Amino acid sequence: MDFNKGRNKMTELETLMLDVTNTLNHNGFDEVKAVPNNTQFSIRVGYWDRISASLIETMEEYHNVRITETDWEDEDCGTLYRYLVEVVDPDCGYTLNELNELDSNYGGDSYMTEAEFLHESFLEDEGDIVWGVA
């Protein structure tokens, strides 16, 4: 019996979320929560734990993403951390929103759609999708 019959393939964003989650798992974070939102997603690890700056830098380089840390104080729990993960164009280092903003500032049409951006950001020169876990 084919349980995957009728299911769609994973999107590029879902694939990236899985890769980032696997990287965090491999680096000692057993519990990772990821929530997608168009061309970006947010993550938290453990009970709102902090990810080291060196791991963030490694993940940004390996996965072609920008990770932004957000923290806030909770009276009962102390400092809580959440991370926004945005896909960047590997050729120029800009996110889709930044590229569209640059284009609009110069009177051009938008750079590309979210789906085009995600698809292009996952392609290598030969046109193969980049897979893997750091």
Side-chain angles (χ1 to χ4, degrees):
M1 178 178 271
D2 184 5
F3 290 105
N4 290 324
K5 188 176 182 181
R7 283 190 67 186
N8 294 332
K9 288 183 174 181
M10 284 178 46
T11 66
E12 283 94 352
L13 186 63
E14 290 170 332
T15 301
L16 178 61
M17 287 172 49
L18 182 59
D19 285 349
V20 168
T21 298
N22 286 337
T23 299
L24 290 165
N25 290 156
H26 180 75
N27 284 278
F29 294 101
D30 295 330
E31 185 179 347
V32 179
K33 303 283 185 196
V35 178
N37 183 14
N38 296 323
T39 59
Q40 60 192 21
F41 58 97
S42 62
I43 56 174
R44 70 176 174 94
V45 294
Y47 187 76
W48 305 92
D49 296 333
R50 187 171 203 182
I51 301 172
S52 71
S54 62
L55 179 55
I56 288 173
E57 183 178 339
T58 299
M59 289 174 35
E60 287 178 333
E61 291 174 14
Y62 184 79
H63 295 295
N64 289 322
V65 295
R66 182 176 306 140
I67 301 174
T68 307
E69 179 181 272
T70 303
D71 64 4
W72 62 96
E73 290 296 321
D74 181 82
E75 286 183 22
D76 299 325
C77 302
T79 306
L80 306 176
Y81 298 91
R82 182 177 64 90
Y83 299 87
L84 178 65
V85 182
E86 299 175 279
V87 177
V88 297
D89 184 313
D91 295 329
C92 66
Y94 289 111
T95 67
L96 174 61
N97 290 338
E98 291 167 340
L99 289 170
N100 282 334
E101 185 177 317
L102 286 171
D103 278 351
S104 68
N105 288 342
Y106 293 101
D109 294 329
S110 66
Y111 176 69
M112 58 178 67
T113 67
E114 293 166 355
E116 291 169 334
F117 179 76
L118 285 172
H119 185 71
E120 290 294 321
S121 295
F122 278 84
L123 299 180
E124 291 181 324
D125 292 336
E126 296 84 28
D128 296 327
I129 294 179
V130 178
W131 299 91
V133 178

